[in-house]
Amino acid sequence: MLNLSVQELQQHATPFYVYDLNLLRQTLQQASQEAAKYNFQVHYAMKANTNSPILNEMRAVGFGADCVSGNEVKCAIENGFPADHVVFAGVGKSDAEINYALDQNIFCFNCESSHELIVLNELAEAKGKTARVALRINPNVNANTHKYITTGLEENKFGINAWELPDVLTLLKSLPSLSLIGLHFHIGSQITDLSAFRNLCTRVNEFQDWFESQQVQLEHINVGGGLGVDYYSPDEQPIPDFESYFSLFNQFLEVRPNQQVHFELGRALVAQSGTLISKVLYIKKGVSTNFAILDAGMTELIRPALYQSYHKIENLTSKGPEDKYDVVGPICESSDCFGKAVVLPETNRGDLIAIRTAGAYGEVMASAYNLRDKAAAVYLS
Ligand code: LLP
C-alpha cells in the first residue's frame, strides 16, 4: 500500500500527482552509486518527467540531460544542467531546435539519418561552429517489450541501419562542420529481461570493431535507456536493480581505453516515485461488473489506454469486503479505463484511489482533451 499519509493526501484537490521525494532520492543515490563503480555517465531522459523539483534531484546527483526536443533542451538549461552534459536525440529535429542547441553549445547531437547530418552541417557552418555528433545506430536487437515502445528493430523509424554505415562515413568526410565523437543506441523501454541488453552489448562490440577497421576512433558510447520497473509490486520493488543492470554492461561491453560510456535512463529513475491520486465520483452497477468512476482519466494518465499497460490501483480509504470493479475515468472514450475487474475493498463515492508507478510518462503525456484542467503536482519528502 502507498507509503504516504492519507490525511496529508486528503488535503489536496483531486486529481493530482504526488511525488515521494525520499524514494526518488534513494533511487537516484543507488543508480549513481552503481554507475560510478564503472565510471559510467548517466543522462536523465527528460521525456519521462520534466517537473523542476524532479530535475533538481537529477542534477543534484550529477546526471546530465537527454533531450528529444528544443524545448527539452531549453528546460534542461533553465533548470541548471550544464550545456556540456546535454545530449539531443530525435528523428525529427527542426532547424529552429538545432539552431537553439547549437547556440547553447550542447555536448552532442545524436543523429538519426544521413539527411539530418547534412542539415546539421549546414546550420553549424552558418554559425561558424563545429557540432559534436554521435551516430544513432539501429542495432536490430529485439527488446521484447510492447511494440509501441520497441525502437531498435530495422522496421522502426529510429537510427541509421548497419548497411548504411559505409555511406555515412563517406558522407561525414565531406561535412567539415561536424565532429564524430561517438555512437548512440537505444533499443526500447520497460525492458525487464536483461538479456536484451546483453544482446545490445554484443552488437555494440561488433559495430566498434567495424569502426576501428575503418580507422575511426570513438570517444563515446551511449547505450541509451530502457531499464524497466515492476508495475505489479511497487512496494516490494520500489528501486530497480541498478546493480545487475550496470554490472552487465561492465561485463559484456568491450570498452576501449579512454572511452566514456553513457546511459539515458528515464523510467527506472522516476516511475515508482510518482502516484496519481484520484477520488471516486460514482459507483455504477453494470451487468457483470461494477464501475468505479474516478475524477482522473486518460487525460491525466494515458498509458493504460494507449499501451494496455498495467498500473496497480489501490483504495486508500476503505477497508470493506472485497469486490471487483472496472476502474474508469470520466472521459468520453471507452478506452478511458485504468483497469478491468480490479479487486478492491468495497468502494464508495469519495474514496481516495492511488494509481501507482505513474512518475514516468504520466504527467508529461497529459492532455487537455475534453477541455480538462491540468492535474496539480504535490511533492512530499
Ligand atoms: N533514450 C532514448 C533515445 C529514448 O527514446 C528513450 C525513451 C529513453 C532514452 C528513455 O527510456 P527509458 O529509460 O525511460 O525506458 N511513453 C512510453 C515510453 C516511451 C519511451 C520513449 N523513449 C511509456 O509510457 O511506456
Side-chain angles (χ1 to χ4, degrees):
M1 193 64 90
L2 184 66
N3 184 23
L4 295 173
S5 149
V6 173
Q7 281 86 343
E8 166 82 50
L9 297 176
Q10 275 168 330
Q11 289 168 23
H12 302 276
T14 53
F16 63 94
Y17 274 90
V18 63
Y19 295 96
D20 178 347
L21 292 182
N22 261 330
L23 175 60
L24 179 65
R25 286 185 196 117
Q26 285 172 37
T27 307
L28 303 190
Q29 211 52 54
Q30 285 227 3
S32 71
Q33 201 176 304
E34 293 304 323
K37 281 187 184 167
Y38 316 108
N39 191 30
F40 290 159
Q41 169 78 48
V42 177
H43 300 262
Y44 167 54
M46 285 183 56
K47 61 180 82 65
N49 189 311
T50 45
N51 294 1
S52 286
I54 307 280
L55 297 178
N56 287 341
E57 299 296 335
M58 300 291 170
R59 211 195 48 236
V61 286
F63 293 166
D66 160 40
C67 306
V68 285
S69 72
N71 283 344
E72 280 192 6
V73 174
K74 192 156 179 272
C75 179
I77 305 273
E78 284 173 358
N79 279 276
F81 287 89
D84 59 1
H85 279 68
V86 171
V87 297
F88 184 13
V91 289
K93 304 175 187 80
S94 72
D95 294 19
E97 290 176 312
I98 292 174
N99 278 325
Y100 174 76
L102 283 169
D103 289 340
Q104 298 299 320
N105 293 319
I106 63 160
F107 170 59
C108 187
F109 290 82
N110 294 337
C111 290
E112 309 226 7
S113 67
S114 303
H115 205 169
E116 184 189 338
L117 290 169
I118 293 167
V119 171
L120 178 58
N121 179 67
E122 267 170 32
L123 296 175
E125 196 168 17
K127 289 182 182 292
K129 295 197 170 198
T130 303
R132 284 173 294 276
V133 163
L135 299 176
R136 176 165 180 182
I137 297 180
N138 184 337
N140 200 23
V141 168
N142 194 342
N144 295 321
T145 184
H146 192 284
K147 67 175 188 303
Y148 286 3
I149 50 177
T150 289
T151 49
L153 288 177
E154 280 172 2
E155 68 203 50
N156 300 128
K157 70 177 173 181
F158 300 99
I160 298 167
N161 286 313
W163 66 84
E164 299 172 89
L165 288 175
D167 286 348
V168 168
L169 271 194
T170 309
L171 174 67
L172 275 171
K173 289 188 187 125
S174 70
L175 303 176
S177 297
L178 301 186
S179 158
L180 177 64
I181 62 165
L183 303 181
H184 174 227
F185 303 84
H186 175 75
I187 55 172
S189 199
Q190 184 50 21
I191 298 168
T192 48
D193 173 3
L194 291 187
S195 69
F197 293 118
R198 189 180 167 165
N199 294 339
L200 171 62
C201 289
T202 306
R203 293 294 286 146
V204 176
N205 296 339
E206 290 166 7
F207 283 114
Q208 291 232 65
D209 290 343
W210 184 80
F211 275 89
E212 278 175 359
S213 76
Q214 304 301 302
Q215 280 75 50
V216 178
Q217 304 301 323
L218 302 158
E219 298 152 63
H220 300 276
I221 297 293
N222 181 336
V223 291
L227 177 63
V229 299
D230 191 339
Y231 282 91
Y232 290 87
S233 314
D235 296 315
E236 294 77 8
Q237 293 282 327
I239 299 181
D241 184 359
F242 294 114
E243 186 179 357
S244 304
Y245 174 71
F246 287 119
S247 90
L248 179 142
F249 282 93
N250 179 58
Q251 194 179 348
F252 295 107
L253 199 62
E254 290 165 7
V255 182
R256 310 304 199 248
N258 301 321
Q259 208 169 45
Q260 176 69 57
V261 180
H262 302 256
F263 290 79
E264 297 172 341
L265 292 173
R267 186 189 320 262
L269 299 176
V270 71
Q272 298 291 23
S273 303
T275 303
L276 176 60
I277 304 288
S278 175
K279 246 183 202 149
V280 178
L281 291 174
Y282 304 105
I283 297 294
K284 181 163 145 179
K285 297 269 174 218
V287 180
S288 57
T289 182
N290 306 307
F291 291 100
I293 303 170
L294 307 187
D295 63 2
M298 63 193 285
T299 42
E300 285 67 52
L301 179 66
I302 200 175
R303 302 192 70 258
L306 192 57
Y307 315 117
Q308 300 80 46
S309 55
Y310 175 87
H311 285 258
K312 191 166 189 205
I313 300 172
E314 294 169 346
N315 185 328
L316 301 178
T317 46
S318 166
K319 291 198 163 54
E322 288 183 339
D323 206 343
K324 280 189 183 161
Y325 299 88
D326 282 9
V327 180
V328 302
I331 307 304
C332 299
E333 298 277 344
S334 295
S335 60
D336 183 26
C337 175
F338 290 118
K340 284 196 183 299
V342 181
V343 177
L344 292 174
E346 185 186 318
T347 295
N348 292 299
R349 174 172 167 84
D351 283 349
L352 216 51
I353 301 290
I355 304 177
R356 305 288 306 273
T357 320
Y361 307 112
E363 243 191 293
V364 279
M365 293 178 79
S367 81
Y369 184 40
N370 289 191
L371 270 191
R372 298 268 293 171
D373 290 327
K374 185 174 178 347
V378 170
Y379 302 90
L380 300 180
S381 49

